[in-house]
Amino acid sequence: MIPTYEQMGDMLEEIAADFPDAFFEGLDGGIQLEEKALPDPAFPPGEMYIMGEYCHDLLGRYIVLYYGSFAALLKEEDEEVWLDEIFLTVAHEFTHHLEDTAMLHALDDADAKFLREALAEYEAE
């Protein structure tokens, strides 16, 4: 089941409301939902998608989730899996935000390691 963009937006709002207000401090742009998919350019098309991003740029600090990436990867999954993945993605991006405000980068390093290992495994096949 693939929820509509609007349905995922509703899910995202409910999930985001469960996070502590402190997590939103300094997050000028809040959490946004983009309709597009964002394939990871390091992988062949359709192999790896970026589900969300923490952004700190000229527009401020904000989190973006990509509906199309969720739809591509979770098309066969039920609503509970969608809710779990939305929660995990938001939590992951909040961690980036909190680490950024504290000038830490442990999750950035872990993400880079995961992607290096995934790419090496993909190339080995």
Side-chain angles (χ1 to χ4, degrees):
M1 171 210 98
I2 299 178
T4 65
Y5 172 78
E6 290 77 17
Q7 289 170 324
M8 182 174 169
D10 292 342
M11 292 176 192
L12 177 56
E13 281 185 34
E14 287 181 30
I15 289 168
D18 288 338
F19 282 88
D21 291 343
F23 283 31
F24 289 88
E25 288 180 21
L27 198 65
D28 329 84
I31 302 174
Q32 303 170 18
L33 181 61
E34 291 283 331
E35 198 159 358
K36 69 181 181 179
L38 187 58
D40 189 316
F43 291 83
E47 292 297 319
M48 181 77 74
Y49 288 87
I50 297 168
M51 307 297 273
E53 293 182 290
Y54 168 68
C55 303
H56 183 182
D57 57 26
L58 293 173
L59 298 174
R61 295 176 179 191
Y62 54 98
I63 292 170
V64 179
L65 269 61
Y66 297 98
Y67 168 77
S69 296
F70 281 81
L73 293 175
L74 304 178
K75 59 185 167 225
E76 303 295 326
E77 303 296 340
D78 63 20
E79 184 176 332
E80 285 303 311
V81 172
W82 277 73
L83 291 167
D84 289 345
E85 289 299 324
I86 294 167
F87 174 84
L88 290 171
T89 303
V90 171
H92 183 94
E93 300 312 329
F94 266 133
T95 303
H96 281 298
H97 169 58
L98 296 171
E99 285 190 353
D100 183 54
T101 58
M103 293 186 282
L104 300 172
H105 52 81
L107 187 55
D108 289 335
D109 294 345
D111 284 352
K113 180 181 178 198
F114 168 80
L115 288 172
R116 279 193 311 274
E117 290 172 356
L119 191 56
E121 184 177 312
Y122 181 80
E123 290 173 345
E125 291 178 358

